[in-house]
Amino acid sequence: WVMTRPISTDLVSEHNRQQEAALTADYDALAAKLARREVDIEQLTQAATSFAVALPSWGVGTGGTRFARFPGPGEPRTIFEKLDDCAVIQQLSQATPTVSLHIPWDRPTDPAELKGFAHDRGLAFDAMNSNTFQDQADQAQSYKYGSLTHTSEAVREQAIKHNIEVIELGKALGSKALTVWVGDGSNFPGQQHFRNSFSHYLDSAKTIYGALPKDWNMLLEHKMFEPAFYSTVIQDWGSSYLAAKETGERCLSLVDLGHHAPNVNIEMIVARLAQFGKLGGFHFNDSKYGDDDLDSGSIDPYQLFLVFLELVDFKTAEPSFTPFYMLDQSHNVTDPVESLMYSAAEVQRAFIKASLVDRSRLAQYQADNDPLMAQATLKAAFNLDVEPILQMARHRTGGAIDPIATYRKSGYRGIVTKQRPASGGSGSGIV
Ligand code: PSV
Ligand code: MN
């Protein structure tokens, strides 16, 4: 078996060779600096090498808003082309070995064939995402007024059936989780009976959970608002926690960073869910105002670092803790391949910085009630430039020291633009 690599390995090696001397110098300097803090750089580089975040299949196409979508050149038209783009991201970044599929957007006609196609490109499948927030051409019931929480049993049954079908597809693809996000809610006070709709959700979730394989997790994703603007059934981590707890042991909460009000202390939500065994996964992205789906770390890298501070801390306490990490972003003005490579590295960077926080000092400052030095301990890690660690991790695993420059040099986008004629659609559209 020989892995299909979309970018010429000679080109990657050549590009890396040109950067190697600078990387060695930077890496050695950082190693010395870390050694003075009694931190072993090799352990961090090892941690960076093992770090992985899943790619959203929907993220490799150009996204849009409800006002417009400006398609980029060479957009993938099929799930196979999407996987080709994901393979580029993985080859150069070495941090994204899995893909999170959205059904029906990426429904495979032959799951075994798709699994083989992914495997040939060094990819596997992460959590499966169901979709009951849109109507499909062939469906009997409409989701206009909800899906898993709808007042009509027939609609709820259709939505449940869809989720079970997604589990079946995921089993064939080697996935281990189902992520459920519903847009159910209301636009008018009085439109919906709050308790009844939540009860319907709990009943539906339990039925879906009944079809979940023993080694799978069900991940419930909350979102404050949109598409329903007055109330949303699973609007916050409290509702998510309650639903996960009612549904079953392997039903956990998933935190999408963009699904909270501005300024909310998301890292504390993370800590709460973790403490009570209900933190199951993440959709990483960044936001300025709402669910902006901006690139991870582009607006508030400190928040991302603080989230990882909790994750690293909890992992130390509970070594079996292995949440699902996924990117969930909409790339409206950039080449999605570039954004995803850059974002994966931003998440990885937050993880590495959080890993080098001096925990015993922090604990001492907390015990001594020394707020200034406690936050200075965090800043000492956050302010350090760990780029050489990320570069070295990529270099050692066959990736690119500078993924974006290598990708641009490869001319991949130009090549696929010739192979993939424009699909034409420039209307509005979510991803
Ligand atoms: C909803 O806004 C969401 O975050 C869910 O994860 C969906 O699956 C995804 O975005 C759809 O783009
Ligand atoms: Mn999401």
Side-chain angles (χ1 to χ4, degrees), residues 89 295 334-343 404 407-408 413:
I89 298 165
D295 288 21
T334 52
D335 178 331
V337 169
E338 294 189 2
S339 264
L340 287 164
M341 289 194 295
Y342 200 90
S343 300
I404 307 287
Y407 170 73
R408 290 192 175 188
R413 184 55 66 189

Side-chain angles (χ1 to χ4, degrees), residues 309 357-367 374-375 377-378:
L309 193 71
V357 168
D358 189 331
R359 300 276 162 176
S360 53
R361 267 194 183 202
L362 181 62
Q364 194 55 55
Y365 290 132
Q366 287 172 347
Q375 72 95 32
T377 307
L378 304 192

Side-chain angles (χ1 to χ4, degrees), residues 7-152:
I7 306 292
S8 146
T9 48
D10 287 345
L11 181 117
V12 177
S13 306
E14 179 49 31
H15 213 75
N16 282 349
R17 235 190 322 276
Q18 290 165 15
Q19 323 257 333
E20 225 164 31
L23 171 57
T24 307
D26 291 349
Y27 190 78
D28 290 348
L30 182 58
K33 201 168 186 173
L34 288 170
R36 284 195 293 278
R37 299 184 186 191
E38 288 171 27
V39 174
D40 176 12
I41 196 170
E42 282 304 316
Q43 267 180 22
L44 290 174
T45 308
Q46 190 49 50
T49 304
S50 343
F51 182 82
V53 57
L55 294 168
S57 61
W58 58 101
V60 284
T62 306
T65 65
R66 66 184 192 278
F67 301 103
R69 192 180 87 87
F70 300 97
E75 282 192 277
R77 299 160 301 174
T78 64
I79 180 58
F80 296 102
E81 291 179 353
K82 288 181 186 180
L83 288 179
D84 277 333
D85 289 1
C86 290
V88 173
I89 298 165
Q90 165 59 3
Q91 184 187 348
L92 300 180
S93 77
Q94 290 293 309
T96 58
T98 56
V99 181
S100 192
L101 288 191
H102 219 295
I103 307 297
W105 297 342
D106 305 308
R107 181 184 276 116
T109 41
D110 181 348
E113 179 198 19
L114 192 69
K115 191 178 177 188
F117 185 88
H119 178 73
D120 287 347
R121 284 154 186 76
L123 297 169
F125 293 101
D126 205 83
M128 301 290 292
N129 300 266
S130 59
N131 179 337
T132 59
F133 50 86
Q134 288 176 317
D135 282 351
Q136 307 305 322
D138 54 349
Q139 77 188 45
Q141 310 288 334
S142 171
Y143 295 134
K144 180 171 179 180
Y145 296 111
S147 58
L148 295 176
T149 78
H150 202 283
T151 48
S152 146

Side-chain angles (χ1 to χ4, degrees), residues 125-128 169-178 215-216 324:
F125 293 101
D126 205 83
M128 301 290 292
L169 282 172
K171 283 199 306 207
L173 291 169
S175 168
K176 291 283 177 234
L178 168 73
D215 58 344
W216 272 51
F324 289 82

